[in-house]
Amino acid sequence: MAGEVVRTKNFVADAASFIVDLAHKALAERHEFRIALSGGNTPRPVYSEVARIGRDLPWDRALITFGDERCVPPDDAQSNFRMARETLFVPANVPEKSIMRMRGEIDPHIAAQQYQDDVDLLATQRGEQIYRHDLILLGVGDDGHTASLFPESKALDEQNQRVVANFVAKLNTWRLTFTFPLINHARHVCFLVNAKKQPELIERIINGDV
């Protein structure tokens, strides 16, 4: 997968346009658009803009998953699902059948296995060994983590499972997360990053120093 760094002064508009353009391309080529959403504050305005400019998208032919989730109920303020629902799903009238929610309110290991089973079923239905997203959106945390693959956590070394429950020691909490085998199988992976927050860290990542 070739890498490209895009620096822009119109982050929200450019990111939303990239997502919508890729959706149109996937729909034209394969008649469906498979996207995994990221949580956090950075993508919030991007999702709102996608809802605004992507109103003509046939959302009934989209399959929306989540790259990670906090272990909280879907109406909790920390829920990635809640953020996506408020900024994208409701404004864009995305049908429920197009959304696959991670169940953060139940036992993390059960939730992870259920989600992997659901993703694996999608792959089987399409004749794929591993479900292939058209686009996985990711962010970068202050410590360099992406999805919920935190430094020194066990999920970083996972080679077989596609979705796992990952204990984050420094937060003393569990997270649900995609692992590298699933992320690396996507057609496109896009990191939505506000470089002003951690400019030195971002430059190190771009230069391959971390």
Side-chain angles (χ1 to χ4, degrees):
M1 185 182 298
E4 180 183 4
V5 177
V6 178
R7 302 177 189 269
T8 175
K9 294 182 179 179
N10 301 301
F11 171 74
V12 171
D14 289 347
S17 293
F18 171 78
I19 294 168
V20 171
D21 289 347
L22 195 60
H24 282 297
K25 181 179 179 181
L27 288 162
E29 293 179 354
R30 292 176 292 278
H31 308 292
E32 66 178 0
F33 177 49
R34 313 175 187 182
I35 181 173
L37 301 183
S38 172
N41 291 319
T42 301
R44 181 184 294 270
V46 176
Y47 296 164
S48 294
E49 184 66 5
V50 168
R52 188 184 71 82
I53 68 174
R55 289 186 177 277
D56 64 328
L57 284 172
W59 289 105
D60 61 322
R61 288 198 278 136
L63 286 170
I64 303 174
T65 58
F66 286 82
D68 72 322
E69 182 58 280
R70 296 173 173 87
C71 292
V72 297
D75 58 351
D76 190 279
Q78 296 298 312
S79 167
N80 290 341
F81 170 80
R82 175 178 171 174
M83 185 271 283
R85 181 186 62 200
E86 293 174 349
T87 57
L88 176 59
F89 302 157
V90 172
N93 295 314
V94 179
E96 288 188 13
K97 70 174 185 176
S98 295
I99 305 164
M100 286 179 53
R101 179 177 74 84
M102 285 181 164
R103 299 182 65 194
E105 70 276 20
I106 66 174
D107 177 272
H109 293 90
I110 295 175
Q113 186 62 58
Q114 287 183 353
Y115 208 74
Q116 176 169 285
D117 290 345
D118 290 342
V119 171
D120 286 350
L121 177 60
L122 291 176
T124 299
Q125 291 171 340
R126 288 155 179 77
E128 301 170 354
Q129 289 188 338
I130 298 178
Y131 182 67
R132 193 172 194 189
H133 288 85
D134 293 304
L135 174 62
I136 294 180
L137 297 175
L138 296 171
V140 176
D142 292 344
D143 58 1
H145 80 269
T146 192
S148 280
L149 299 169
F150 284 78
E152 301 180 2
S153 64
K154 289 185 178 180
L156 289 172
D157 299 321
E158 181 59 54
Q159 297 296 317
N160 297 310
Q161 297 292 103
R162 276 76 67 199
V163 183
V164 299
N166 194 30
F167 184 71
V168 184
K170 74 172 189 177
L171 301 177
N172 192 32
T173 190
W174 288 89
R175 294 282 186 90
L176 305 174
T177 185
F178 282 4
T179 61
F180 289 128
L182 184 56
I183 293 171
N184 291 337
H185 201 64
R187 291 186 174 89
H188 301 87
V189 176
C190 178
F191 290 84
L192 300 176
V193 179
N194 182 351
K196 293 181 179 179
K197 288 185 177 180
Q198 293 283 341
E200 294 182 2
L201 173 63
I202 299 306
E203 289 302 319
R204 288 177 60 201
I205 292 173
I206 292 173
N207 293 328
D209 294 336
V210 293

mmCIF file of all heavy atoms in Angstrom, residues 49-90:
data_model
loop_
_atom_site.group_PDB
_atom_site.id
_atom_site.type_symbol
_atom_site.label_atom_id
_atom_site.label_comp_id
_atom_site.label_asym_id
_atom_site.label_seq_id
_atom_site.Cartn_x
_atom_site.Cartn_y
_atom_site.Cartn_z
ATOM 1 N N GLU A 49 -19.451 17.177 7.792
ATOM 2 C CA GLU A 49 -19.308 17.645 6.417
ATOM 3 C C GLU A 49 -19.626 16.536 5.420
ATOM 4 O O GLU A 49 -20.225 16.791 4.366
ATOM 5 C CB GLU A 49 -17.891 18.179 6.187
ATOM 6 C CG GLU A 49 -17.639 18.774 4.817
ATOM 7 C CD GLU A 49 -18.429 20.045 4.527
ATOM 8 O OE1 GLU A 49 -19.130 20.545 5.432
ATOM 9 O OE2 GLU A 49 -18.341 20.539 3.386
ATOM 10 N N VAL A 50 -19.245 15.311 5.740
ATOM 11 C CA VAL A 50 -19.604 14.186 4.876
ATOM 12 C C VAL A 50 -21.120 14.063 4.776
ATOM 13 O O VAL A 50 -21.676 13.838 3.692
ATOM 14 C CB VAL A 50 -19.000 12.871 5.408
ATOM 15 C CG1 VAL A 50 -19.606 11.664 4.681
ATOM 16 C CG2 VAL A 50 -17.482 12.872 5.235
ATOM 17 N N ALA A 51 -21.810 14.233 5.896
ATOM 18 C CA ALA A 51 -23.272 14.169 5.894
ATOM 19 C C ALA A 51 -23.858 15.267 5.016
ATOM 20 O O ALA A 51 -24.852 15.043 4.307
ATOM 21 C CB ALA A 51 -23.801 14.289 7.319
ATOM 22 N N ARG A 52 -23.215 16.431 5.029
ATOM 23 C CA ARG A 52 -23.742 17.563 4.251
ATOM 24 C C ARG A 52 -23.521 17.375 2.746
ATOM 25 O O ARG A 52 -24.444 17.522 1.959
ATOM 26 C CB ARG A 52 -23.079 18.869 4.706
ATOM 27 C CG ARG A 52 -23.698 20.117 4.085
ATOM 28 C CD ARG A 52 -22.944 21.371 4.480
ATOM 29 N NE ARG A 52 -21.634 21.448 3.835
ATOM 30 C CZ ARG A 52 -21.454 21.886 2.580
ATOM 31 N NH1 ARG A 52 -22.482 22.276 1.851
ATOM 32 N NH2 ARG A 52 -20.235 21.938 2.082
ATOM 33 N N ILE A 53 -22.288 17.027 2.363
ATOM 34 C CA ILE A 53 -21.986 16.944 0.933
ATOM 35 C C ILE A 53 -22.287 15.569 0.341
ATOM 36 O O ILE A 53 -22.304 15.420 -0.886
ATOM 37 C CB ILE A 53 -20.515 17.312 0.643
ATOM 38 C CG1 ILE A 53 -19.552 16.250 1.208
ATOM 39 C CG2 ILE A 53 -20.192 18.692 1.192
ATOM 40 C CD1 ILE A 53 -18.106 16.482 0.821
ATOM 41 N N GLY A 54 -22.549 14.587 1.210
ATOM 42 C CA GLY A 54 -22.802 13.239 0.716
ATOM 43 C C GLY A 54 -24.254 12.832 0.791
ATOM 44 O O GLY A 54 -24.565 11.630 0.831
ATOM 45 N N ARG A 55 -25.137 13.797 0.765
ATOM 46 C CA ARG A 55 -26.568 13.476 0.879
ATOM 47 C C ARG A 55 -27.065 12.647 -0.296
ATOM 48 O O ARG A 55 -28.065 11.931 -0.180
ATOM 49 C CB ARG A 55 -27.386 14.772 0.981
ATOM 50 C CG ARG A 55 -27.214 15.487 2.312
ATOM 51 C CD ARG A 55 -28.145 16.690 2.453
ATOM 52 N NE ARG A 55 -28.005 17.323 3.759
ATOM 53 C CZ ARG A 55 -28.614 16.919 4.859
ATOM 54 N NH1 ARG A 55 -29.421 15.864 4.804
ATOM 55 N NH2 ARG A 55 -28.441 17.543 6.003
ATOM 56 N N ASP A 56 -26.394 12.744 -1.437
ATOM 57 C CA ASP A 56 -26.830 11.989 -2.607
ATOM 58 C C ASP A 56 -26.294 10.565 -2.615
ATOM 59 O O ASP A 56 -26.644 9.767 -3.488
ATOM 60 C CB ASP A 56 -26.390 12.699 -3.888
ATOM 61 C CG ASP A 56 -24.873 12.777 -4.021
ATOM 62 O OD1 ASP A 56 -24.199 12.866 -2.982
ATOM 63 O OD2 ASP A 56 -24.384 12.763 -5.170
ATOM 64 N N LEU A 57 -25.442 10.220 -1.663
ATOM 65 C CA LEU A 57 -24.906 8.869 -1.612
ATOM 66 C C LEU A 57 -26.011 7.867 -1.257
ATOM 67 O O LEU A 57 -26.842 8.148 -0.388
ATOM 68 C CB LEU A 57 -23.795 8.755 -0.569
ATOM 69 C CG LEU A 57 -22.430 9.334 -0.941
ATOM 70 C CD1 LEU A 57 -21.503 9.309 0.272
ATOM 71 C CD2 LEU A 57 -21.804 8.557 -2.092
ATOM 72 N N PRO A 58 -26.026 6.707 -1.898
ATOM 73 C CA PRO A 58 -26.997 5.669 -1.526
ATOM 74 C C PRO A 58 -26.521 4.944 -0.268
ATOM 75 O O PRO A 58 -25.885 3.891 -0.334
ATOM 76 C CB PRO A 58 -27.002 4.750 -2.756
ATOM 77 C CG PRO A 58 -25.624 4.881 -3.330
ATOM 78 C CD PRO A 58 -25.206 6.304 -3.058
ATOM 79 N N TRP A 59 -26.808 5.507 0.874
ATOM 80 C CA TRP A 59 -26.292 4.979 2.128
ATOM 81 C C TRP A 59 -26.789 3.571 2.409
ATOM 82 O O TRP A 59 -26.212 2.857 3.246
ATOM 83 C CB TRP A 59 -26.644 5.910 3.275
ATOM 84 C CG TRP A 59 -25.865 7.198 3.252
ATOM 85 C CD1 TRP A 59 -26.310 8.433 2.888
ATOM 86 C CD2 TRP A 59 -24.478 7.365 3.598
ATOM 87 N NE1 TRP A 59 -25.300 9.364 2.982
ATOM 88 C CE2 TRP A 59 -24.164 8.733 3.417
ATOM 89 C CE3 TRP A 59 -23.481 6.495 4.044
ATOM 90 C CZ2 TRP A 59 -22.898 9.251 3.673
ATOM 91 C CZ3 TRP A 59 -22.212 7.006 4.295
ATOM 92 C CH2 TRP A 59 -21.928 8.366 4.110
ATOM 93 N N ASP A 60 -27.841 3.141 1.714
ATOM 94 C CA ASP A 60 -28.300 1.768 1.890
ATOM 95 C C ASP A 60 -27.337 0.767 1.258
ATOM 96 O O ASP A 60 -27.428 -0.438 1.520
ATOM 97 C CB ASP A 60 -29.698 1.596 1.292
ATOM 98 C CG ASP A 60 -29.733 1.890 -0.200
ATOM 99 O OD1 ASP A 60 -29.041 2.833 -0.639
ATOM 100 O OD2 ASP A 60 -30.451 1.177 -0.923
ATOM 101 N N ARG A 61 -26.391 1.262 0.464
ATOM 102 C CA ARG A 61 -25.374 0.394 -0.128
ATOM 103 C C ARG A 61 -24.013 0.621 0.521
ATOM 104 O O ARG A 61 -22.981 0.250 -0.026
ATOM 105 C CB ARG A 61 -25.301 0.615 -1.638
ATOM 106 C CG ARG A 61 -26.506 0.044 -2.369
ATOM 107 C CD ARG A 61 -26.250 -0.120 -3.847
ATOM 108 N NE ARG A 61 -26.430 1.128 -4.573
ATOM 109 C CZ ARG A 61 -25.600 1.583 -5.513
ATOM 110 N NH1 ARG A 61 -24.508 0.904 -5.798
ATOM 111 N NH2 ARG A 61 -25.841 2.707 -6.134
ATOM 112 N N ALA A 62 -24.020 1.224 1.698
ATOM 113 C CA ALA A 62 -22.799 1.392 2.478
ATOM 114 C C ALA A 62 -22.781 0.369 3.611
ATOM 115 O O ALA A 62 -23.834 -0.059 4.100
ATOM 116 C CB ALA A 62 -22.719 2.800 3.059
ATOM 117 N N LEU A 63 -21.586 -0.053 3.995
ATOM 118 C CA LEU A 63 -21.397 -0.900 5.166
ATOM 119 C C LEU A 63 -20.425 -0.170 6.077
ATOM 120 O O LEU A 63 -19.254 -0.007 5.743
ATOM 121 C CB LEU A 63 -20.841 -2.262 4.766
ATOM 122 C CG LEU A 63 -21.831 -3.208 4.082
ATOM 123 C CD1 LEU A 63 -21.111 -4.423 3.522
ATOM 124 C CD2 LEU A 63 -22.899 -3.649 5.073
ATOM 125 N N ILE A 64 -20.925 0.291 7.208
ATOM 126 C CA ILE A 64 -20.142 1.138 8.105
ATOM 127 C C ILE A 64 -19.786 0.363 9.363
ATOM 128 O O ILE A 64 -20.654 -0.086 10.115
ATOM 129 C CB ILE A 64 -20.919 2.409 8.476
ATOM 130 C CG1 ILE A 64 -21.313 3.183 7.213
ATOM 131 C CG2 ILE A 64 -20.084 3.292 9.405
ATOM 132 C CD1 ILE A 64 -22.213 4.377 7.471
ATOM 133 N N THR A 65 -18.485 0.199 9.584
ATOM 134 C CA THR A 65 -17.992 -0.460 10.784
ATOM 135 C C THR A 65 -17.216 0.549 11.631
ATOM 136 O O THR A 65 -17.088 1.714 11.265
ATOM 137 C CB THR A 65 -17.089 -1.654 10.421
ATOM 138 O OG1 THR A 65 -16.006 -1.184 9.610
ATOM 139 C CG2 THR A 65 -17.862 -2.714 9.655
ATOM 140 N N PHE A 66 -16.684 0.079 12.754
ATOM 141 C CA PHE A 66 -15.902 0.939 13.647
ATOM 142 C C PHE A 66 -14.552 0.286 13.906
ATOM 143 O O PHE A 66 -14.480 -0.898 14.241
ATOM 144 C CB PHE A 66 -16.638 1.155 14.967
ATOM 145 C CG PHE A 66 -17.810 2.086 14.847
ATOM 146 C CD1 PHE A 66 -19.029 1.616 14.393
ATOM 147 C CD2 PHE A 66 -17.685 3.433 15.154
ATOM 148 C CE1 PHE A 66 -20.116 2.468 14.259
ATOM 149 C CE2 PHE A 66 -18.759 4.298 15.025
ATOM 150 C CZ PHE A 66 -19.982 3.816 14.572
ATOM 151 N N GLY A 67 -13.490 1.076 13.777
ATOM 152 C CA GLY A 67 -12.145 0.562 14.009
ATOM 153 C C GLY A 67 -11.857 0.286 15.466
ATOM 154 O O GLY A 67 -11.004 -0.544 15.786
ATOM 155 N N ASP A 68 -12.572 0.968 16.359
ATOM 156 C CA ASP A 68 -12.429 0.695 17.789
ATOM 157 C C ASP A 68 -13.600 1.308 18.531
ATOM 158 O O ASP A 68 -14.383 2.077 17.967
ATOM 159 C CB ASP A 68 -11.093 1.214 18.335
ATOM 160 C CG ASP A 68 -11.037 2.735 18.444
ATOM 161 O OD1 ASP A 68 -11.576 3.423 17.556
ATOM 162 O OD2 ASP A 68 -10.453 3.245 19.427
ATOM 163 N N GLU A 69 -13.730 0.941 19.781
ATOM 164 C CA GLU A 69 -14.815 1.465 20.608
ATOM 165 C C GLU A 69 -14.433 1.391 22.066
ATOM 166 O O GLU A 69 -13.712 0.485 22.512
ATOM 167 C CB GLU A 69 -16.107 0.682 20.361
ATOM 168 C CG GLU A 69 -17.321 1.177 21.129
ATOM 169 C CD GLU A 69 -17.679 2.628 20.858
ATOM 170 O OE1 GLU A 69 -17.018 3.504 21.468
ATOM 171 O OE2 GLU A 69 -18.594 2.885 20.059
ATOM 172 N N ARG A 70 -14.896 2.364 22.817
ATOM 173 C CA ARG A 70 -14.738 2.328 24.267
ATOM 174 C C ARG A 70 -15.793 1.397 24.851
ATOM 175 O O ARG A 70 -16.859 1.221 24.273
ATOM 176 C CB ARG A 70 -14.884 3.735 24.835
ATOM 177 C CG ARG A 70 -13.789 4.698 24.357
ATOM 178 C CD ARG A 70 -14.075 6.124 24.810
ATOM 179 N NE ARG A 70 -12.974 7.017 24.511
ATOM 180 C CZ ARG A 70 -12.824 7.661 23.357
ATOM 181 N NH1 ARG A 70 -13.717 7.486 22.393
ATOM 182 N NH2 ARG A 70 -11.802 8.467 23.164
ATOM 183 N N CYS A 71 -15.484 0.811 25.980
ATOM 184 C CA CYS A 71 -16.398 -0.141 26.598
ATOM 185 C C CYS A 71 -17.431 0.600 27.437
ATOM 186 O O CYS A 71 -17.406 0.577 28.686
ATOM 187 C CB CYS A 71 -15.615 -1.164 27.412
ATOM 188 S SG CYS A 71 -14.629 -2.261 26.365
ATOM 189 N N VAL A 72 -18.323 1.256 26.735
ATOM 190 C CA VAL A 72 -19.400 2.049 27.337
ATOM 191 C C VAL A 72 -20.671 1.815 26.524
ATOM 192 O O VAL A 72 -20.612 1.369 25.383
ATOM 193 C CB VAL A 72 -19.054 3.556 27.348
ATOM 194 C CG1 VAL A 72 -17.829 3.827 28.217
ATOM 195 C CG2 VAL A 72 -18.818 4.070 25.932
ATOM 196 N N PRO A 73 -21.840 2.136 27.093
ATOM 197 C CA PRO A 73 -23.091 2.008 26.347
ATOM 198 C C PRO A 73 -23.119 2.959 25.157
ATOM 199 O O PRO A 73 -22.389 3.963 25.133
ATOM 200 C CB PRO A 73 -24.163 2.370 27.392
ATOM 201 C CG PRO A 73 -23.507 2.141 28.709
ATOM 202 C CD PRO A 73 -22.070 2.491 28.510
ATOM 203 N N PRO A 74 -23.957 2.693 24.157
ATOM 204 C CA PRO A 74 -23.982 3.508 22.939
ATOM 205 C C PRO A 74 -24.447 4.941 23.136
ATOM 206 O O PRO A 74 -24.197 5.784 22.271
ATOM 207 C CB PRO A 74 -24.934 2.746 22.018
ATOM 208 C CG PRO A 74 -25.796 1.939 22.938
ATOM 209 C CD PRO A 74 -24.902 1.562 24.072
ATOM 210 N N ASP A 75 -25.103 5.237 24.251
ATOM 211 C CA ASP A 75 -25.547 6.606 24.502
ATOM 212 C C ASP A 75 -24.596 7.364 25.425
ATOM 213 O O ASP A 75 -24.842 8.522 25.769
ATOM 214 C CB ASP A 75 -26.957 6.618 25.094
ATOM 215 C CG ASP A 75 -27.061 5.836 26.400
ATOM 216 O OD1 ASP A 75 -26.079 5.146 26.765
ATOM 217 O OD2 ASP A 75 -28.124 5.898 27.053
ATOM 218 N N ASP A 76 -23.480 6.727 25.799
ATOM 219 C CA ASP A 76 -22.491 7.378 26.657
ATOM 220 C C ASP A 76 -21.757 8.465 25.881
ATOM 221 O O ASP A 76 -21.520 8.348 24.675
ATOM 222 C CB ASP A 76 -21.495 6.339 27.161
ATOM 223 C CG ASP A 76 -20.578 6.883 28.250
ATOM 224 O OD1 ASP A 76 -19.582 7.558 27.895
ATOM 225 O OD2 ASP A 76 -20.853 6.633 29.429
ATOM 226 N N ALA A 77 -21.383 9.526 26.571
ATOM 227 C CA ALA A 77 -20.693 10.643 25.925
ATOM 228 C C ALA A 77 -19.356 10.232 25.314
ATOM 229 O O ALA A 77 -18.863 10.872 24.384
ATOM 230 C CB ALA A 77 -20.477 11.771 26.928
ATOM 231 N N GLN A 78 -18.741 9.147 25.828
ATOM 232 C CA GLN A 78 -17.454 8.690 25.317
ATOM 233 C C GLN A 78 -17.578 7.707 24.152
ATOM 234 O O GLN A 78 -16.565 7.310 23.570
ATOM 235 C CB GLN A 78 -16.672 8.016 26.453
ATOM 236 C CG GLN A 78 -16.311 8.962 27.584
ATOM 237 C CD GLN A 78 -15.398 10.086 27.115
ATOM 238 O OE1 GLN A 78 -14.409 9.846 26.440
ATOM 239 N NE2 GLN A 78 -15.745 11.311 27.451
ATOM 240 N N SER A 79 -18.779 7.336 23.801
ATOM 241 C CA SER A 79 -19.000 6.326 22.772
ATOM 242 C C SER A 79 -18.671 6.847 21.375
ATOM 243 O O SER A 79 -19.165 7.895 20.959
ATOM 244 C CB SER A 79 -20.457 5.859 22.806
ATOM 245 O OG SER A 79 -20.783 5.109 21.660
ATOM 246 N N ASN A 80 -17.845 6.103 20.643
ATOM 247 C CA ASN A 80 -17.567 6.458 19.258
ATOM 248 C C ASN A 80 -18.826 6.348 18.404
ATOM 249 O O ASN A 80 -19.034 7.143 17.480
ATOM 250 C CB ASN A 80 -16.483 5.550 18.682
ATOM 251 C CG ASN A 80 -15.122 5.820 19.293
ATOM 252 O OD1 ASN A 80 -14.877 6.869 19.870
ATOM 253 N ND2 ASN A 80 -14.228 4.844 19.168
ATOM 254 N N PHE A 81 -19.656 5.358 18.718
ATOM 255 C CA PHE A 81 -20.912 5.202 17.993
ATOM 256 C C PHE A 81 -21.803 6.425 18.181
ATOM 257 O O PHE A 81 -22.384 6.924 17.209
ATOM 258 C CB PHE A 81 -21.651 3.954 18.462
ATOM 259 C CG PHE A 81 -23.055 3.864 17.932
ATOM 260 C CD1 PHE A 81 -23.293 3.426 16.646
ATOM 261 C CD2 PHE A 81 -24.127 4.241 18.719
ATOM 262 C CE1 PHE A 81 -24.594 3.364 16.144
ATOM 263 C CE2 PHE A 81 -25.431 4.180 18.242
ATOM 264 C CZ PHE A 81 -25.665 3.741 16.951
ATOM 265 N N ARG A 82 -21.917 6.899 19.410
ATOM 266 C CA ARG A 82 -22.769 8.061 19.650
ATOM 267 C C ARG A 82 -22.292 9.266 18.851
ATOM 268 O O ARG A 82 -23.101 9.982 18.248
ATOM 269 C CB ARG A 82 -22.793 8.411 21.139
ATOM 270 C CG ARG A 82 -23.559 9.695 21.439
ATOM 271 C CD ARG A 82 -23.620 10.021 22.906
ATOM 272 N NE ARG A 82 -24.158 11.350 23.125
ATOM 273 C CZ ARG A 82 -24.437 11.861 24.321
ATOM 274 N NH1 ARG A 82 -24.233 11.145 25.416
ATOM 275 N NH2 ARG A 82 -24.921 13.083 24.426
ATOM 276 N N MET A 83 -20.979 9.497 18.826
ATOM 277 C CA MET A 83 -20.447 10.625 18.069
ATOM 278 C C MET A 83 -20.785 10.497 16.584
ATOM 279 O O MET A 83 -21.208 11.448 15.934
ATOM 280 C CB MET A 83 -18.937 10.728 18.270
ATOM 281 C CG MET A 83 -18.295 11.951 17.621
ATOM 282 S SD MET A 83 -17.782 11.684 15.912
ATOM 283 C CE MET A 83 -16.275 10.730 16.186
ATOM 284 N N ALA A 84 -20.609 9.295 16.037
ATOM 285 C CA ALA A 84 -20.902 9.078 14.621
ATOM 286 C C ALA A 84 -22.396 9.207 14.341
ATOM 287 O O ALA A 84 -22.796 9.729 13.293
ATOM 288 C CB ALA A 84 -20.397 7.703 14.196
ATOM 289 N N ARG A 85 -23.210 8.744 15.265
ATOM 290 C CA ARG A 85 -24.661 8.857 15.090
ATOM 291 C C ARG A 85 -25.092 10.318 15.033
ATOM 292 O O ARG A 85 -25.880 10.709 14.162
ATOM 293 C CB ARG A 85 -25.379 8.140 16.237
ATOM 294 C CG ARG A 85 -26.910 8.180 16.151
ATOM 295 C CD ARG A 85 -27.524 7.573 17.385
ATOM 296 N NE ARG A 85 -27.158 8.318 18.583
ATOM 297 C CZ ARG A 85 -27.228 7.821 19.818
ATOM 298 N NH1 ARG A 85 -27.615 6.575 20.019
ATOM 299 N NH2 ARG A 85 -26.887 8.571 20.855
ATOM 300 N N GLU A 86 -24.539 11.107 15.946
ATOM 301 C CA GLU A 86 -24.949 12.517 16.018
ATOM 302 C C GLU A 86 -24.444 13.335 14.835
ATOM 303 O O GLU A 86 -25.127 14.253 14.380
ATOM 304 C CB GLU A 86 -24.439 13.124 17.329
ATOM 305 C CG GLU A 86 -25.102 12.545 18.565
ATOM 306 C CD GLU A 86 -24.485 13.061 19.854
ATOM 307 O OE1 GLU A 86 -23.411 13.703 19.803
ATOM 308 O OE2 GLU A 86 -25.066 12.816 20.925
ATOM 309 N N THR A 87 -23.250 13.021 14.355
ATOM 310 C CA THR A 87 -22.636 13.844 13.316
ATOM 311 C C THR A 87 -22.891 13.336 11.906
ATOM 312 O O THR A 87 -22.926 14.139 10.957
ATOM 313 C CB THR A 87 -21.116 13.927 13.527
ATOM 314 O OG1 THR A 87 -20.560 12.598 13.547
ATOM 315 C CG2 THR A 87 -20.792 14.635 14.833
ATOM 316 N N LEU A 88 -23.078 12.014 11.742
ATOM 317 C CA LEU A 88 -23.210 11.443 10.401
ATOM 318 C C LEU A 88 -24.498 10.668 10.182
ATOM 319 O O LEU A 88 -25.252 10.956 9.243
ATOM 320 C CB LEU A 88 -22.010 10.525 10.123
ATOM 321 C CG LEU A 88 -22.009 9.758 8.795
ATOM 322 C CD1 LEU A 88 -22.071 10.719 7.607
ATOM 323 C CD2 LEU A 88 -20.794 8.847 8.696
ATOM 324 N N PHE A 89 -24.773 9.690 11.023
ATOM 325 C CA PHE A 89 -25.884 8.787 10.760
ATOM 326 C C PHE A 89 -27.232 9.499 10.712
ATOM 327 O O PHE A 89 -28.013 9.292 9.778
ATOM 328 C CB PHE A 89 -25.932 7.667 11.805
ATOM 329 C CG PHE A 89 -24.681 6.841 11.888
ATOM 330 C CD1 PHE A 89 -24.374 6.138 13.050
ATOM 331 C CD2 PHE A 89 -23.800 6.757 10.822
ATOM 332 C CE1 PHE A 89 -23.230 5.367 13.131
ATOM 333 C CE2 PHE A 89 -22.647 5.988 10.894
ATOM 334 C CZ PHE A 89 -22.360 5.300 12.058
ATOM 335 N N VAL A 90 -27.503 10.318 11.723
ATOM 336 C CA VAL A 90 -28.792 11.020 11.751
ATOM 337 C C VAL A 90 -28.860 12.108 10.677
ATOM 338 O O VAL A 90 -29.827 12.144 9.901
ATOM 339 C CB VAL A 90 -29.068 11.613 13.153
ATOM 340 C CG1 VAL A 90 -30.298 12.510 13.132
ATOM 341 C CG2 VAL A 90 -29.252 10.489 14.176
#
